[in-house]
């Protein structure tokens, strides 16, 4: 997959976030941006890669992509129009709070998959883990985002990390996903 990193900013400071312990992923340069790239800089970077070599283009990085939602939308439209590749958004699901408006409908036709870290079925524990600047608003807002996003995006996935929850908590997460009509995924722990 080809990853697009738009920002270092994030509304959360998750206890498990890889950016807490490293500055890059295996085989990559530093993911810490010296500056937030403009739309033109992001588009220009496509000239340095053969997009045909990639199965999917993913908005993900050391920051929350919806912190730069307007740029995200413009770049996703460019990707669809120019390369017609599947686009995934990895997000904390706090985009409506960040942008102070509902953003889900603006993803229709330009984002194929949204992947959101559910982390836990419990709102209080969620805040303890993600340490969102939106405090107790974050968990219900994330679930509302999921509920609305599935109307506009073909695949919505909520995930947790294996070894971090009990089997009972995983079952509760599965029920949340079933009730919302979205996919539940347990992803492997990464050091």
């Amino acid at each position: 997959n080809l990853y697009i990193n738009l920002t270092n900013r994030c509304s959360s400071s998750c206890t498990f976030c890889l950016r807490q312990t490293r500055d890059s992923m295996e085989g990559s340069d530093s993911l810490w941006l010296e500056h937030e790239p403009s739309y033109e800089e992001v588009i220009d970077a496509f000239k340095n890669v053969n997009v045909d070599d990639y199965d999917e283009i993913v908005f993900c990085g050391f920051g929350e992509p919806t912190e730069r939602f307007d740029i995200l939308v413009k770049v996703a439209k460019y990707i669809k129009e120019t390369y017609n590749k599947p686009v995934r958004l990895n997000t904390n699901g706090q985009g409506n709070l960040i942008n102070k408006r509902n953003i889900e409908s603006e993803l229709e036709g330009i984002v194929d998959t949204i992947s959101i870290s559910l982390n836990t079925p419990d709102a209080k524990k969620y805040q303890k883990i993600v340490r969102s600047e939106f405090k107790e608003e974050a968990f219900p807002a994330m679930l509302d985002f999921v509920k609305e996003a599935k109307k506009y995006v073909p695949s919505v996935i909520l995930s947790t990390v294996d070894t971090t929850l009990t089997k009972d908590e995983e079952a509760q997460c599965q029920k949340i996903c079933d009730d919302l009509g979205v996919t539940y995924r347990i992803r492997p722990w990464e050091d």
Side-chain angles (χ1 to χ4, degrees):
N1 295 327
L2 178 62
Y3 291 86
I4 300 174
N5 186 15
L6 296 175
T7 186
N8 292 330
R9 292 181 285 150
C10 188
S11 57
S12 293
S13 180
C14 298
T15 57
F16 60 84
C17 185
L18 295 175
R19 72 190 223 158
Q20 310 260 1
T21 58
R22 62 166 86 175
D23 69 352
S24 63
M25 299 303 290
E26 187 175 321
S28 75
D29 295 327
S30 175
L31 291 175
W32 289 108
L33 299 172
E34 293 178 16
H35 72 281
E36 291 185 337
S38 67
Y39 169 77
E40 292 76 19
E41 288 173 307
V42 175
I43 299 310
D44 195 49
F46 280 101
K47 295 175 186 169
N48 300 323
V49 295
N50 182 0
V51 177
D52 290 335
D53 291 342
Y54 298 95
D55 295 327
E56 184 179 47
I57 300 177
V58 184
F59 288 94
C60 181
F62 272 5
E64 165 55 39
T66 62
E67 292 274 2
R68 302 216 40 230
F69 188 70
D70 294 340
I71 296 292
L72 184 155
V73 167
K74 285 177 67 174
V75 172
K77 284 180 182 174
Y78 171 84
I79 292 165
K80 284 297 187 184
E81 291 167 1
T82 308
Y83 305 107
N84 195 29
K85 288 282 186 177
V87 173
R88 177 169 30 114
L89 169 60
N90 288 359
T91 178
N92 62 18
Q94 298 171 29
N96 291 343
L97 295 173
I98 292 166
N99 291 281
K100 298 178 176 55
R101 71 183 198 286
N102 284 15
I103 61 172
E104 301 91 350
S105 65
E106 297 171 62
L107 301 171
E108 187 171 24
I110 59 170
V111 171
D112 302 286
T113 302
I114 296 178
S115 183
I116 302 168
S117 295
L118 175 59
N119 300 308
T120 177
D122 180 76
K124 284 185 173 43
K125 189 173 176 185
Y126 176 86
Q127 178 57 22
K128 190 173 182 179
I129 294 169
V130 305
R131 303 180 299 198
S132 172
E133 67 185 53
F134 299 109
K135 311 248 184 268
E136 64 278 347
E137 285 181 81
F139 188 78
M142 178 264 299
L143 294 178
D144 288 344
F145 178 83
V146 169
K147 195 180 305 181
E148 194 66 17
K150 73 176 194 154
K151 296 176 186 175
Y152 303 102
V153 176
S155 176
V156 179
I157 301 164
L158 286 174
S159 67
T160 59
V161 176
D162 68 358
T163 73
T164 63
L165 297 177
T166 66
K167 292 299 176 193
D168 182 56
E169 289 170 319
E170 286 177 352
Q172 291 173 50
C173 289
Q174 182 67 62
K175 181 170 180 353
I176 288 170
C177 292
D178 291 346
D179 290 348
L180 290 170
V182 300
T183 301
Y184 177 47
R185 178 174 161 249
I186 301 172
R187 62 186 195 278
W189 171 263
E190 290 186 45
D191 282 329

